[in-house]
Amino acid sequence: MCGVDGLIWAIILSRAFGPEPMTGGLAIALTDTGAAGKLFCEAVKNADDKQMEGVASTGAGQVGKQIAAKQNTRAWRMIQIDRNML
């Protein structure tokens, strides 16, 4: 999903829903969802090992690791939201 440009999604969705504000919103959401998923996977993969050991020592599983990695993606999400509003 992140490999397809938002304009392409808008063209595809405009055929399905017509030229409405919902079409643009869905196009942005589809593009950003794919990019956010890719970023989140990279954040979990590249998270600090000592931080993950600390989380695992408390008994947390994958959910704890995801919460710890989520801290690395906050700045990117704010930039993405700002980019979409321009």
Side-chain angles (χ1 to χ4, degrees):
M1 283 207 264
C2 64
V4 180
D5 190 41
L7 181 61
I8 304 300
W9 280 116
I11 292 170
I12 293 169
L13 292 171
S14 68
R15 296 286 294 170
F17 300 112
E20 296 181 2
M22 181 180 73
T23 303
L26 283 173
I28 290 172
L30 285 172
T31 304
D32 287 351
T33 301
K38 183 176 180 181
L39 173 77
F40 188 69
C41 289
E42 288 292 323
V44 169
K45 180 180 168 187
N46 295 328
D48 187 21
D49 290 335
K50 292 188 181 208
Q51 184 180 10
M52 292 301 145
E53 287 176 17
V55 170
S57 69
T58 63
Q62 287 289 26
V63 174
K65 290 182 180 181
Q66 291 173 356
I67 290 171
K70 198 180 280 189
Q71 296 172 359
N72 299 331
T73 62
R74 284 189 184 137
W76 181 86
R77 283 185 282 171
M78 293 306 294
I79 291 170
Q80 194 73 14
I81 289 169
D82 185 48
R83 184 182 68 99
N84 288 338
M85 291 187 183
L86 294 178

